[in-house]
Amino acid sequence: MKRTAIIVIDSLGIGALPDAEEYGDPGADTLGSIVKHCPKLDIPHLRKLGLGNIDGVKCLEPEKDPSGAFARMAERSRGKDTITGHWEIAGLYTTVPFKTFPRFPDSFMEAFEKAIGRGTLGNYAASGTEIIKELGPEHKATGKPIVYTSADSVFQVAADNAVIPLEELYRICQTAREMLVGELQVGRVIARPYVVEDGVYTRTADRRDYAVSPPADTLLDLVKATGQPVYAVGKITDIFNGKGVTRAEHTKSNLQGIELTIAALKEETGGLIFTNLVDFDAKYGHRRNPEGYGACLEELDSRIPELLAAAGPEDLLLFCADHGNDPCYKGWDHTREYTPMLAAGKPLRRGANLGTRSSFADIAATVAEYLGTGAPATGESFLQEILKS
């Protein structure tokens, strides 16, 4: 029974793409920055799979006998955000980038405030951890939610759980999602709940993303159409707005996402497991914390033997990323980078170097061929290059 698990190491870029300067990201290198600030970085299993053997990766020594197949993936879509990267991994290009706003129009904000029955604070581009500290006291005094954006196509709403209960925050964000259409359409509306304890502001794991639906079928739809299950772990179901998903679990941490993926691999089912490990991006990339990012990478690395042991004889595991988020770069936003692809599993031959791929969509094409769904409209499969003869 054939099955594939796509595990997204959210934001693990491996060097600036040729067009990075167009996005303000020349010289960005997420992995390089992590290694530089964590000289004792201990990731033996990722290295054994071939992370240091990938084209252009100079910060790690290559393995003499890598156990996995590996590639450097170039993003073809326009953008460097979560939705764009994940949709391309699933075979859908974004040719026109999602709109971004330094602030949302007054006319919209007035209509939004009327719809939710509250005024708002903020409405400018900011770091999420900084704006809640800045505006948190006024939010507590007035009950007005904090609205902010970033270089991504997002409308984010933050609220203290003690001021606006979680379900009410979700309702506010759902209202925003319904209103942000047409010329104001953004890729995601994001609920950002937080708590305050002893004067310390901490965002909780109850974040919720409200994304636009993919405008065409993706790998998820192809797999579902053949009657095979599509299990979305983490924020995957939000990113695809549930389209093509047959079962979904939100997660509160990378560790929970890994545990759910291991448990799913132990089930006797075929189809697709699609997991997003968001802590790398949310907790360490955006917060410009290379040491924390390195420790998080070590945490994932330590669980790779369990993931491989849980995999069945016909399971294909693909580790990849959706964009970069160099924790040592200016600002606090994503960076336009190449991403890694590491393939593992019993059906694969060792050490296949797939070079530099022209699109993340090659992953979708490969999985579609392996699961027998029929070819997607985009991407070039590398399946025959990695299977044992």
Side-chain angles (χ1 to χ4, degrees):
M1 192 181 310
K2 293 181 178 179
R3 178 172 54 187
T4 302
I6 300 174
I7 301 169
V8 181
I9 308 173
D10 197 311
S11 83
L12 186 64
I14 54 172
L17 279 162
D19 63 357
E21 190 164 0
E22 297 177 23
Y23 295 81
D25 301 327
D29 184 353
T30 300
L31 180 61
S33 290
I34 295 164
V35 173
K36 181 178 179 180
H37 283 78
C38 306
K40 296 182 179 180
L41 185 69
D42 187 20
I43 51 170
H45 303 106
L46 288 168
R47 294 182 65 173
K48 187 62 179 176
L49 288 175
L51 183 59
N53 298 73
I54 295 173
D55 287 1
V57 173
K58 306 298 184 185
C59 58
L60 297 174
E61 286 293 322
E63 288 288 317
K64 293 182 179 179
D65 181 27
S67 62
F70 46 89
R72 180 169 70 166
M73 312 298 291
E75 186 168 13
R76 183 177 296 187
S77 295
R78 301 295 296 170
K80 55 177 181 178
D81 59 85
T82 297
I83 290 182
T84 299
H86 279 80
W87 284 6
E88 184 165 324
I89 290 168
L92 181 62
Y93 295 141
T94 301
T95 56
V96 178
F98 290 109
K99 290 185 177 181
T100 58
F101 298 86
R103 65 187 307 277
F104 290 86
D106 291 341
S107 58
F108 168 77
M109 294 305 300
E110 290 169 5
F112 174 60
E113 290 172 352
K114 182 178 180 180
I116 64 173
R118 300 171 183 258
T120 60
L121 304 174
N123 188 25
Y124 52 82
S127 161
T129 54
E130 294 303 315
I131 198 170
I132 61 175
K133 289 189 290 185
E134 178 186 345
L135 298 180
E138 187 177 356
H139 163 64
K140 182 178 181 180
T142 64
K144 297 177 181 179
I146 300 167
V147 172
Y148 65 104
T149 186
S150 72
D152 287 343
S153 180
V154 291
F155 182 91
Q156 306 190 76
V157 186
D160 182 342
N161 284 350
V163 177
I164 298 179
L166 193 59
E167 291 304 319
E168 174 65 7
L169 176 60
Y170 291 162
R171 185 193 70 80
I172 289 170
C173 289
Q174 183 62 50
T175 299
R177 177 70 281 170
E178 293 168 0
M179 295 177 67
L180 287 166
V181 295
E183 291 298 313
L184 294 177
Q185 180 170 280
V186 294
R188 287 178 294 162
V189 173
I190 306 177
R192 293 286 197 177
Y194 66 89
V195 296
V196 185
E197 296 180 354
D198 298 324
V200 177
Y201 290 74
T202 304
R203 295 197 297 193
T204 76
D206 293 312
R207 159 186 172 158
R208 188 65 55 83
D209 293 39
Y210 299 82
V212 293
S213 292
D217 284 351
T218 69
L219 172 67
L220 285 66
D221 298 288
L222 294 178
V223 175
K224 181 180 178 181
T226 63
Q228 299 178 77
V230 177
Y231 181 28
V233 178
K235 64 178 183 177
I236 294 296
T237 192
D238 293 341
I239 292 167
F240 291 87
N241 201 22
K243 191 172 185 294
V245 174
T246 63
R247 172 185 167 197
E249 294 278 356
H250 286 99
T251 58
K252 295 184 179 294
S253 67
N254 277 2
L255 284 179
Q256 186 184 10
I258 294 167
E259 292 286 355
L260 288 171
T261 303
I262 291 171
L265 286 168
K266 291 179 179 179
E267 297 175 0
E268 294 185 0
T269 60
L272 175 65
I273 303 167
F274 202 167
T275 299
N276 173 276
L277 303 177
V278 74
D279 289 355
F280 299 102
D281 186 55
K283 291 186 176 181
Y284 306 111
H286 285 301
R287 300 185 191 181
R288 296 303 187 244
N289 181 352
E291 293 82 9
Y293 205 129
C296 196
L297 205 55
E298 290 178 340
E299 185 178 70
L300 167 63
D301 189 89
S302 71
R303 305 302 298 274
I304 287 178
E306 293 174 76
L307 286 162
L308 296 178
E314 292 190 277
D315 284 347
L316 173 63
L317 276 63
L318 302 176
F319 297 89
C320 61
D322 53 338
H323 49 69
N325 198 343
D326 188 335
C328 297
Y329 212 70
K330 61 186 178 182
W332 55 80
D333 293 311
H334 298 154
T335 42
R336 176 81 170 175
E337 298 184 51
Y338 289 107
T339 60
M341 193 291 300
L342 300 170
K346 296 178 179 66
L348 306 186
R349 65 183 181 88
R350 299 173 65 93
N353 185 349
L354 304 172
T356 298
R357 313 297 296 193
S358 63
S359 168
F360 296 175
D362 288 5
I363 293 173
T366 301
V367 175
E369 182 180 358
Y370 190 61
L371 298 181
T373 69
T378 60
E380 181 178 346
S381 173
F382 48 76
L383 183 65
Q384 300 310 315
E385 299 176 61
I386 63 176
L387 287 179
K388 292 176 181 177
S389 56

